[in-house]
């Protein structure tokens, strides 16, 4: 294998490099310079040395979109952390919660997993189930006191999904009629509506009512 072919393979498999790099950091449990640099070199060497199928065919990383994704994620972590801390101090065990059904647009195992993981990172949200066939996430969220809050939580996850989709810069794909399509319209199996909202869980909170699905 020539050096040019190896470099081309590395460019095509950047999601795998990123995943291997993150896995290396998690296994070491450190973000020291040696771990970061060594993990990146190992990930590039593995992908450059072995023939692996592309995870996201046609994907092109977009640095600006990736930056917006990371900035939005950092903001969500800070805001959600403060909100959860306040709810815990004010209501304790009586904090209102709900399981929210979130329809997804993306139809890729990797992208769905990325959305689920990034959703779970933010305090106050936890993906409890992934319905791959129907392209749904079921997210446990707090605080949720009414249907307006349910809709807001659903929209927050779908906004994150759009950020993830823009970050990978999916290329054009061929539609059913043979023509090329791109962007959101290219995602097959898009749900026809916003999905069925679920009500808040029962609690002793005075503003809380309903039950989980």
């Amino acid at each position: 294998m020539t050096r040019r072919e190896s470099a081309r393979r590395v460019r095509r498999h950047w999601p795998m490099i990123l995943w291997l790099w993150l896995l290396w950091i998690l296994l070491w449990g450190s973000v020291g310079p040696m771990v970061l640099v060594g993990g990146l070199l190992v990930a590039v060497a593995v992908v450059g040395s072995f023939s692996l199928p592309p995870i996201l065919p046609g994907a092109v990383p977009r640095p600006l979109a990736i930056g917006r994704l990371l900035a939005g994620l950092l903001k969500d972590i800070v805001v959600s952390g403060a909100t959860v801390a306040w709810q815990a101090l004010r209501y304790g065990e009586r904090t209102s919660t709900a399981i929210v059904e979130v329809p997804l647009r993306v139809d890729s195992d990797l992208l769905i997993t990325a959305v689920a993981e990034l959703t779970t990172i933010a305090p106050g949200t936890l993906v409890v189930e992934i319905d791959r066939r129907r392209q749904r996430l079921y997210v446990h969220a707090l605080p949720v006191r009414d249907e307006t809050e349910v809709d807001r939580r659903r929209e927050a996850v779908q906004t994150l999904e759009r950020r993830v989709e823009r970050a990978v810069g999916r290329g054009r794909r061929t539609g059913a009629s043979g023509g090329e399509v791109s962007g959101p319209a290219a995602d097959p199996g898009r749900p026809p509506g916003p999905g069925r909202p679920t009500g808040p869980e029962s609690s002793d909170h005075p503003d809380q009512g309903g039950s989980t699905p």
Side-chain angles (χ1 to χ4, degrees):
M1 179 186 301
T2 65
R3 183 175 300 179
R4 181 175 299 178
E5 290 173 342
S6 180
R8 187 182 302 115
R9 176 180 296 173
V10 169
R11 286 196 301 269
R12 286 204 328 264
H13 293 81
W14 69 267
M16 177 62 75
I17 294 176
L18 179 59
W19 169 248
L20 292 175
W21 188 36
L22 293 176
L23 183 61
W24 177 275
I25 295 172
L26 290 175
L27 290 175
W28 278 94
S30 171
V31 290
M34 292 296 294
V35 173
L36 293 177
V37 175
L40 182 59
L41 292 177
V42 169
V44 171
V46 169
V47 171
S49 302
F50 297 96
S51 179
L52 301 172
I55 297 179
L56 289 174
V60 179
R62 295 176 176 174
L64 291 179
I66 293 175
R68 285 193 291 267
L69 171 64
L70 296 178
L73 180 62
L74 180 60
K75 177 184 175 182
D76 291 342
I77 291 175
V78 173
V79 174
S80 298
T83 301
V84 170
W86 169 248
Q87 291 292 318
L89 290 173
R90 183 175 183 182
Y91 298 112
E93 295 181 354
R94 296 183 296 112
T95 300
S96 55
T97 64
I99 303 293
V100 181
E101 182 186 54
V102 183
L104 299 177
R105 295 157 50 97
V106 296
D107 190 20
S108 161
D109 290 339
L110 180 64
L111 294 185
I112 291 175
T113 301
V115 173
E117 293 292 340
L118 294 178
T119 298
T120 300
I121 286 177
T125 55
L126 174 67
V127 175
V128 296
E129 182 181 347
I130 300 176
D131 188 336
R132 181 65 183 86
R133 183 180 61 83
R134 299 177 60 236
Q135 293 175 242
R136 297 286 194 275
L137 293 183
Y138 292 90
V139 182
H140 181 273
L142 68 89
V144 177
R145 289 180 290 272
D146 51 34
E147 292 296 325
T148 300
E149 187 71 19
V150 169
D151 293 337
R152 191 181 72 81
R153 291 286 183 169
R154 181 182 298 110
E155 177 59 29
V157 177
Q158 291 174 333
T159 298
L160 175 61
E161 178 196 20
R162 289 192 291 271
R163 291 174 183 167
V164 171
E165 189 176 20
R166 294 191 191 106
V168 299
R170 300 302 298 275
R172 295 195 173 193
R173 289 177 288 177
T174 303
S177 60
E180 287 186 338
V181 294
S182 61
D187 293 314
R190 180 178 176 182
R196 175 180 55 84
T198 59
E201 293 178 352
S202 299
S203 76
D204 297 329
H205 193 286
D207 297 331
Q208 171 69 14
S211 60
T212 57

